[in-house]
Structure formats: C-alpha cells, structure tokens
Amino acid sequence: MSRTLYLAEQLISRPSVTPEDAGCLDLLAERLAPLGFACERIDSGPDSFRVSNLWAKRPAAPAHSAHAAIKTIVFAGHTDVVPTGPLEQWSSDPFTPTHRDGRLYGRGASDMKTSIAAFVVAVEEFLAATPEPALSIAFLLTSDEEGPSVDGTKVVVETLRTRGEPLDYCIVGEPTSVKQTGDMIKNGRRGTLSGRLTVRGIQGHIAYPQLARNPIHQAMPALAELASTVWDEGNDFFPPTSWQVSNIHGGTGATNIIPGHVVVDFNFRFSTESTAEGLKGRVDALLDRHGLEYDLVWTLGGQPFLTTPGELVSAVQQAITAEAGLATELSTTGGTSDGRFIAQVCPQVIELGPPNATIHKIDEHIVVADIEPLKNIYRRTLENLHAQALA
C-alpha cells in the first residue's frame, strides 16, 4: 500500500463531520513536525461549535536568503466532511475505508482527505530530495469548510494578515477534476451575494381586493425584470453573472386571505466584471422604480477571485503534463471554496484535486489509480516552483 493511500485511509477513518476534526489535525501535525514545520493551532468559535485550525510553516533554507525575496507556497484544505446521510443506504460504513473494484470508499475520499494525504506525502518526498529548498512551505487546514466557514480559514487568514505574513502561492485541494486527475483546475471562483427581499402589502379578505394590497402581485413584475436582466457579459474566465430565486414565502396557509407580505430569497453568482456594491445598487434602483414597499437584507458569501496564467498556473500545468500527459483546462465554474478567503492575502490561488463525481453523495469514493498521480503532481509543482526560485 502506498503511503498516500495509507494516510488517506487514516483520515477517512476519523468521523470528522463538520465542525468536528476527530483528531485529523493532530495526526497531520505529527507527520509535519519532524519535517521542520512549526505547527500552530488557531482554533476558534464557541464551545458549542469549536473549529479546529492548523497553520504549519517550514521556512526556506538560510542558504537561499541571498536570493530575491523568498516565496511561500501554501497547501490549503479541510478535514471536515458533510454528514453521511442515511447510513443504511451506504454499501459500507462511511468511516471504514473500504476497497471495491479499484475504488476507495468512505466519506471524505474525494472531498478532500485524499488531497490532504497527497499534500503531505508530496512534501515529504520533495524535502527528502531537496532538504534545503528555496521556498517556504506551509499548510492551512481547517475543520470549518463544509459548515458556516466563519471560524475556519477566514480566521487564520485574518491572523496572518494581522501579522503581516506574506503568502505568494496557494493550492487548495478541492476535487476539481472531471474524468481524470489533473484534467481541470480552478483558477478562480465566482462571488456569491445573497439577498432576502421582503415586499410589504396590506392583508385582507380575498373577496375584497380593493381593501387590500397583494404584495405577491406587486412583486411579480420586478422579479420578472430581475430574472431577465443582463448583469454583465462575463469575460474570458467567467460566465455572465447569474441571478436566481431560491425560495418564495407568502401567505398564511388559508385560501381566502391576501397576505400582508412576501419574502423572496435570491442569490447572485457574480464574475469579476461586477462588484457586490454595484449589484446591490442596481437591485435597489430596480425595486424603487417598481414602486415597491420593501426591506432587503444582503449577505456577501464571498468575493470573486481570479488567478491569471503566471508562475503558479505554469508550474501546475507543467506538472500535470509531465505526470498525466494532459493539457489541463482552466475553469472558474462551480460553487465557492475557502480560496475566496485566501485570495485576499495571496495573489496566486488555484484549486486542484481528484475527480468530483461522487462528492457529498452516498458511497463517496475515489479511484485508487487517481491517488498517486495527484501526489506526484503536487510534488512536481513544488519542484517547478523551486526551480523558478533558483533561476
């Protein structure tokens, strides 16, 4: 059994349903400390929802201090997993790593304990061959990515910002691949901006509409215009910004009452061609133009980020080509990740991990043949960045 597979199985066997860590970070710190990493816990949150965070950093070798400013690469990920769902629907215990037909089954196999195992073994192999690297190497690991994402990576990033600790490159181990490890990486993500719109009317008897004001009827033309608005055209890396309704709540449950208000939940997934403030202003102007009496509460889930082709993208692309013979696709599709927080303090952030077809599903699994190539891609990326630093 490969060391990567063994470590992945050790992590999967720990039932770390968010925000629990179940000892994963202690296990990882035990592997990293002998390599020269200073391991620091930056746990956060109330006792009822305590989040475990690990910041581990190994400085570059002093022999390279005469070179240009030493750069730091961060491997970022999460040890927490989503709930299992009905246990009786799993073919095997989700926290007992199980092999069937060349696949490793278990919650977190794809999202994202295998990536974390591959990170660690890749660094072990790199340092064995290059004991005095020209790079600083760090790990940022949390147990609060699948949950609210309030006390996890966000807190560690704020701590690093306060310290003035620079980051240059970051690889997030999210499962980004489609059919084969390395066929797609994320070089950015759209922003997410949610709104809860409450349109107020006047409640009344449905037989006397002249004595009431139906907020659902009033809201419908505005909602139709919001749905048909072109917010931007996107760009070479992002699709156009999308506005979507997720929920509508109105009425008392009775069939003879005009409701006094209607609540509409909606969300923007927005590109770098738009800003959160700009979108808010356009929505307010549209609602005002329709003459609605309303309240609107906004929640910014994350800003968009984009890493254009450069040092990190080039190092990763070369590593994928050398290991898997693939010309990887750059993509910004999908949901959000903790990359949105790291991008606030790190200019080059990409996401790279195994195929994502089974993430969050019953019988989550990873093809065992995808594991070693992933570890090798991470190691080759380190080698490429080290070579760039020496150039």
Side-chain angles (χ1 to χ4, degrees):
M1 179 185 296
S2 76
R3 290 188 299 139
T4 313
L5 175 58
Y6 180 67
L7 180 54
E9 291 186 352
Q10 286 184 294
L11 294 171
I12 292 168
S13 68
R14 287 161 167 77
S16 55
V17 176
T18 190
E20 296 296 328
D21 170 66
C24 291
L25 293 184
D26 288 339
L27 172 64
L28 296 166
E30 290 173 3
R31 294 284 290 259
L32 294 174
L35 300 175
F37 283 84
C39 297
E40 177 185 4
R41 290 292 289 268
I42 309 178
D43 296 355
S44 180
D47 290 342
S48 60
F49 202 91
R50 194 67 175 170
V51 170
S52 302
N53 299 309
L54 175 66
W55 170 249
K57 186 175 180 181
R58 184 188 194 276
H64 299 289
S65 59
H67 286 265
I70 298 296
K71 295 190 174 182
T72 298
I73 178 170
V74 180
F75 292 100
H78 59 90
T79 57
D80 60 321
V81 297
V82 296
T84 62
L87 290 174
E88 66 274 12
Q89 294 184 19
W90 282 74
S91 301
S92 53
D93 187 311
F95 297 112
T96 300
T98 304
H99 290 259
R100 293 192 302 274
D101 302 321
R103 296 173 174 85
L104 170 64
Y105 287 81
R107 179 59 87 216
S110 292
D111 189 14
M112 56 176 286
K113 291 183 173 181
T114 298
S115 293
I116 293 175
F119 282 162
V120 171
V121 177
V123 169
E124 289 174 340
E125 292 182 356
F126 172 73
L127 291 176
T130 312
E132 296 188 356
L135 293 166
S136 292
I137 305 172
F139 285 80
L140 196 172
L141 304 172
T142 182
S143 68
D144 181 33
E145 197 273 347
E146 300 291 8
S149 299
V150 171
D151 289 296
T153 298
K154 185 177 182 180
V155 166
V156 179
V157 165
E158 286 304 315
T159 301
L160 298 176
R161 190 205 304 270
T162 300
R163 294 176 182 173
E165 190 160 353
L167 308 179
D168 299 284
Y169 314 118
C170 178
I171 298 177
V172 186
E174 289 292 340
T176 60
S177 300
V178 181
K179 295 181 179 179
Q180 179 183 348
T181 291
D183 62 7
M184 178 180 288
I185 64 174
K186 306 290 185 179
N187 65 318
R189 294 280 191 169
R190 293 175 293 176
T192 176
L193 174 66
S194 296
R196 170 160 284 193
L197 171 66
T198 301
V199 178
R200 297 187 297 275
I202 298 175
Q203 182 173 314
H205 196 293
I206 207 161
Y208 299 95
Q210 71 276 14
L211 302 178
R213 190 174 75 241
N214 194 319
I216 298 176
H217 292 183
Q218 287 191 301
M220 287 173 65
L223 296 179
E225 185 173 345
L226 287 167
S228 63
T229 296
V230 177
W231 301 96
D232 61 47
E233 299 290 346
N235 55 36
D236 290 344
F237 296 99
F238 287 96
T241 290
S242 167
W243 181 88
Q244 296 291 325
V245 171
S246 57
N247 291 285
I248 297 180
H249 308 276
T252 65
T255 60
N256 61 350
I257 298 177
I258 292 172
H261 68 276
V262 62
V263 179
V264 181
D265 295 317
F266 63 83
N267 177 266
F268 281 105
R269 291 302 166 104
F270 63 102
S271 76
T272 50
E273 295 298 306
S274 292
T275 66
E277 292 306 313
L279 294 171
K280 291 179 185 180
R282 292 177 67 183
V283 171
D284 283 333
L286 188 154
L287 296 174
D288 291 342
R289 180 160 42 79
H290 280 269
L292 300 180
E293 184 180 337
Y294 69 93
D295 297 311
L296 180 51
V297 177
W298 294 99
T299 301
L300 179 62
Q303 297 282 5
F305 72 92
L306 177 67
T307 298
T308 55
E311 293 172 349
L312 180 58
V313 170
S314 175
V316 171
Q317 288 177 323
Q318 292 173 24
I320 291 171
T321 299
E323 179 63 30
L326 298 172
T328 191
E329 177 183 354
L330 299 180
S331 172
T332 61
T333 58
T336 59
S337 78
D338 277 358
R340 69 191 188 275
F341 303 124
I342 301 167
Q344 297 174 21
V345 295
C346 183
Q348 298 185 52
V349 179
I350 65 102
E351 299 170 25
L352 166 62
N356 55 27
T358 67
I359 60 174
H360 293 203
K361 291 184 176 181
I362 301 293
D363 282 349
E364 178 182 350
H365 63 266
I366 185 172
V367 176
V368 174
D370 276 313
I371 296 176
E372 283 302 291
L374 180 63
K375 178 264 295 180
N376 292 339
I377 289 169
Y378 292 151
R379 190 200 69 243
R380 288 177 185 269
T381 299
L382 282 168
E383 294 166 353
N384 292 339
L385 291 174
H386 174 70
Q388 289 181 19
L390 294 177

